[in-house]
Amino acid sequence: MIDYEFNEHNKEEFPPAHTVEHLLNQLMFRVYGCERSRNAHIERKKSKMTFILDHKPDRKEERFIEQEMNRLIAADLPVTFELVDREHIPDGVVLDRLPENASEKIRLVRIGDYDVCPCIGKHVRSTAQIGRFELLGTNWDEEKKAFRVRFKVIAG
């Protein structure tokens, strides 16, 4: 196996929370049709992500997000990696957030058949290693249509 040199990575992720970031991005895309969060702060103790939505989710929707995240975690989805060149990017994978000087080879992270996106960060080997997703609270900015989700990952 060739050890491929990627762009320098400036973060030291907490793998369970970083993997949750992927799951939550995909869940929000599937439920609300929004793009992946452009304002995420993923930490060991508490994380937050912001999504641009057409409406403020109500309490029932918030409970669904938390329940669905924990269902995905419990499903023990495998987390795998794949190297592809830019000419062989799967449909639906967007490269607009890669740095201008991104390498020709792109590492895709797959979480079962649920999510795939380019990423060079650290992840768990399967979702069951995450533990539990706890929704700490949300905020809504009506002017920006921004829904901020605050959460933490509790080790299982």
Side-chain angles (χ1 to χ4, degrees):
M1 182 176 160
I2 298 171
D3 190 21
Y4 196 81
E5 184 70 32
F6 291 104
N7 297 67
E8 188 175 321
H9 188 52
N10 62 358
K11 295 182 193 173
E12 184 64 34
E13 290 96 356
F14 176 51
H18 183 66
T19 307
V20 161
E21 177 183 4
H22 286 259
L23 288 173
L24 185 56
N25 268 312
Q26 185 59 234
L27 175 63
M28 297 301 285
F29 169 75
R30 289 181 183 210
V31 173
Y32 296 101
C34 63
E35 69 174 33
R36 296 174 92 89
S37 176
R38 291 188 180 265
N39 185 359
H41 301 280
I42 308 302
E43 305 293 337
R44 183 178 296 267
K45 292 184 179 180
K46 182 173 73 170
S47 300
K48 54 190 171 184
M49 295 171 67
T50 303
F51 301 92
I52 305 304
L53 306 180
D54 64 359
H55 73 280
K56 177 188 186 302
D58 61 25
R59 295 282 183 231
K60 183 178 177 184
E61 290 171 284
E62 290 177 4
R63 279 192 304 277
F64 172 79
I65 291 167
E66 185 174 47
Q67 290 167 352
E68 186 63 7
M69 286 296 294
N70 283 307
R71 185 193 69 76
L72 290 164
I73 290 166
D76 199 17
L77 303 172
V79 180
T80 59
F81 308 96
E82 172 185 354
L83 286 182
V84 297
D85 58 50
R86 289 176 179 269
E87 289 78 47
H88 296 94
I89 301 296
D91 288 342
V93 175
V94 181
L95 302 181
D96 67 343
R97 298 190 191 181
L98 294 180
E100 284 185 28
N101 63 343
S103 55
E104 186 59 32
K105 290 275 189 192
I106 306 295
R107 184 176 94 155
L108 299 179
V109 174
R110 290 185 183 274
I111 303 179
D113 60 0
Y114 192 74
D115 184 51
V116 58
C117 77
C119 185
I120 59 174
K122 294 181 180 179
H123 302 81
V124 297
R125 288 187 304 280
S126 72
T127 58
Q129 294 179 318
I130 292 170
R132 188 168 55 85
F133 174 89
E134 184 174 302
L135 185 64
L136 299 174
T138 63
N139 294 90
W140 175 252
D141 183 325
E142 180 63 36
E143 185 179 320
K144 296 178 182 176
K145 300 291 188 194
F147 181 62
R148 173 161 280 186
V149 177
R150 293 184 318 282
F151 65 89
K152 67 180 177 178
V153 173
I154 300 169

